[in-house]
């Protein structure tokens, strides 16, 4: 049985024989099972197995995240990436987080870096509500500007030194908007899922196609995690000239 702890909630990948026993762990209030992710806004379907409640406050890398696991996702597989990105942000940068969610990347950037401004764009109203709460919880109201809307419409109206595309599924459909947003010399962190044989080459081709006639320099490429059999979640850091 695989499980993860998020705040004071234990999350199982399948039903346990005795979920009540997990409530004996120190500080655990609830045990839930995520039964699937559905729809374009990727809403989880959750069953409470023991205890009560699906909302919690989770602490990661010195940041606090209020989250309701019955309404939005939390991916523990991205933990290293959420710690890495703030180390790359330079003083005074304008950052656009195109898929902000509850602030997975925006909050660590605001807390641990010194950006001039972070624009956090989110379409899901549940995630957007939690994003605003987390901005207040982490006392970064003066740094992050939350914007509710479709990033394909919002991003081209902004000018960014750094664009975070921390979403997988159909991320390449949003590359044109990212290119309209990023300044010459700016950086894009582009996430994609791809078969192993083309896990880096396909994302790079898609970025180069969207950037044309501008040039693309590959700064870094990393595997985030295995997504499904033979398919990997990867991230490419690229500079657009």
């Amino acid at each position: 049985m695989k499980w993860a702890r998020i705040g004071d909630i234990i999350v199982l990948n399948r039903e346990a024989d005795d979920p009540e026993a997990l409530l004996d762990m120190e500080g655990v209030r609830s045990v839930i099972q995520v039964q699937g992710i559905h729809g374009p806004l990727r809403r989880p379907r959750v069953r409470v197995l023991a205890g009560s409640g699906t909302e919690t406050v989770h602490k990661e890398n010195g940041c606090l995240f209020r989250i309701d696991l019955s309404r939005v996702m939390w991916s523990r597989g991205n933990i290293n990436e959420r710690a890495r990105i703030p180390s790359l942000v330079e003083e005074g940068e304008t950052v656009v987080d195109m898929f902000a969610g509850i602030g997975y990347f925006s909050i660590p950037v605001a807390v641990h870096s010194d950006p001039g401004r972070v624009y956090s764009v989110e379409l899901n109203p549940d995630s957007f509500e939690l994003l605003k709460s987390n901005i207040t919880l982490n006392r970064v109201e003066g740094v992050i500007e939350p914007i509710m809307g479709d990033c394909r419409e919002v991003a081209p109206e902004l000018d960014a030194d750094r664009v975070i595309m921390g979403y997988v599924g159909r991320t390449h459909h949003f590359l044109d908007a990212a290119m309209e947003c990023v300044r010459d010399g700016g950086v894009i962190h582009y996430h994609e899922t791809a078969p192993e044989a083309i896990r880096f080459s396909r994302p790079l081709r898609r970025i180069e196609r969207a950037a044309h006639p501008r040039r693309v320099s590959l700064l870094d490429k990393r595997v985030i995690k295995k997504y499904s059999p033979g398919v990997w979640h990867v991230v490419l850091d690229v500079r657009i000239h």
Side-chain angles (χ1 to χ4, degrees), residues 61-103:
N61 190 28
C63 302
L64 298 173
F65 296 92
R66 175 177 163 244
I67 185 168
D68 185 338
L69 296 169
S70 70
R71 297 162 63 194
V72 298
M73 295 175 56
W74 179 270
S75 174
R76 292 186 62 83
N78 293 350
I79 184 171
N80 291 332
E81 188 67 7
R82 290 193 289 267
R84 183 179 77 95
I85 293 300
S87 71
L88 303 176
V89 174
E90 298 181 5
E91 181 180 354
E93 280 191 349
T94 298
V95 179
V96 172
D97 188 352
M98 289 180 63
F99 309 95
I102 66 169

Side-chain angles (χ1 to χ4, degrees), residues 64-195:
L64 298 173
F65 296 92
R66 175 177 163 244
I67 185 168
D68 185 338
L69 296 169
S70 70
R71 297 162 63 194
V72 298
M73 295 175 56
W74 179 270
S75 174
R76 292 186 62 83
N78 293 350
I79 184 171
N80 291 332
E81 188 67 7
R82 290 193 289 267
R84 183 179 77 95
I85 293 300
S87 71
L88 303 176
V89 174
E90 298 181 5
E91 181 180 354
E93 280 191 349
T94 298
V95 179
V96 172
D97 188 352
M98 289 180 63
F99 309 95
I102 66 169
Y104 309 103
F105 289 103
S106 294
I107 296 293
V109 165
V111 169
H112 296 298
S113 308
D114 189 19
R117 197 69 169 163
V118 177
Y119 294 99
S120 302
V121 186
E122 178 52 42
L123 182 63
N124 182 335
D126 290 331
S127 295
F128 189 73
E129 176 193 330
L130 292 164
L131 169 64
K132 291 191 294 181
S133 177
N134 289 330
I135 291 170
T136 302
L137 194 61
N138 290 276
R139 301 179 180 178
V140 289
E141 298 95 330
V143 181
I144 298 178
E145 181 177 332
I147 303 173
M148 185 173 176
D150 188 327
C151 62
R152 287 170 292 192
E153 299 172 2
V154 175
E157 302 299 318
L158 303 170
D159 292 307
D161 300 298
R162 190 174 302 271
V163 177
I164 303 171
M165 302 182 72
Y167 163 80
V168 295
R170 297 178 299 117
T171 326
H172 58 289
H173 291 178
F174 300 85
L175 273 168
D176 287 345
M179 294 302 168
E180 290 187 58
C181 174
V182 69
R183 295 168 176 158
D184 284 344
V187 172
I188 297 177
H189 304 283
Y190 174 75
H191 291 243
E192 186 176 316
T193 53

Side-chain angles (χ1 to χ4, degrees), residues 165-173 175 189-195 198-207 209 222-225 227 231-236:
M165 302 182 72
Y167 163 80
V168 295
R170 297 178 299 117
T171 326
H172 58 289
H173 291 178
L175 273 168
H189 304 283
Y190 174 75
H191 291 243
E192 186 176 316
T193 53
I198 55 172
R199 66 186 185 274
F200 294 124
S201 59
R202 186 179 75 179
L204 184 57
R205 283 199 306 271
R206 285 173 164 171
I207 294 167
R209 189 180 304 123
R222 292 168 177 260
V223 171
I224 301 296
K225 62 185 176 183
Y227 186 77
V231 177
W232 296 89
H233 172 184
V234 301
V235 59
L236 276 66

Side-chain angles (χ1 to χ4, degrees), residues 34-39 41-45 72-73:
V34 178
Q35 298 178 316
I37 306 294
H38 301 276
L41 298 181
R42 296 180 63 77
R43 286 191 169 96
R45 187 174 71 237
V72 298
M73 295 175 56

